[in-house]
Amino acid sequence: MSRPRLTLIVNNEVPCPQNAAGAGQKSWSNQFDPYALKVSAPDLWSAYFRARFCSPREVALFCDVSFQTALNWWGAVTAPASHIALLVTMTDPGAPEFFGQAMEQAA
């Protein structure tokens, strides 16, 4: 017995209205330069940690990393890995706003 399948039917002869909600939206690649984001990430994370924590020691305890790693983040030497980014966004309700504002200023 076969499972039901979803079939997409496309009609290219009928034009789509241009006033659709996402019609004016540009792709992320047109809004951000991935290399520039990678280069600026340590400074961005350093600003966040300095705004939220009092010291690199607090960052180390919160993120469960070594003091040296937290010191590198604090001093904008390196940026955290993705699991730390997830931890921050899931535990700090103000983090998305902080990073959003920082990205608007950079753009």
Side-chain angles (χ1 to χ4, degrees), residues 79-103:
S82 62
H83 68 283
I84 299 299
L86 289 171
L87 173 70
V88 165
T89 57
M90 292 173 61
T91 58
D92 182 4
E97 182 180 351
F98 176 88
F99 289 112
Q101 289 176 353
M103 294 311 299

Side-chain angles (χ1 to χ4, degrees), residues 53-79:
F53 298 97
C54 294
S55 69
R57 188 165 309 283
E58 286 185 9
V59 174
L61 291 171
F62 178 79
C63 296
D64 193 27
V65 295
S66 71
F67 178 72
Q68 184 61 53
T69 297
L71 199 59
N72 287 343
W73 296 344
W74 190 268
V77 176
T78 59

Side-chain angles (χ1 to χ4, degrees), residues 35-51:
Y35 179 75
L37 186 61
K38 181 179 180 178
V39 169
S40 65
D43 292 320
L44 181 62
W45 278 100
S46 176
Y48 171 78
F49 287 131
R50 288 172 181 268

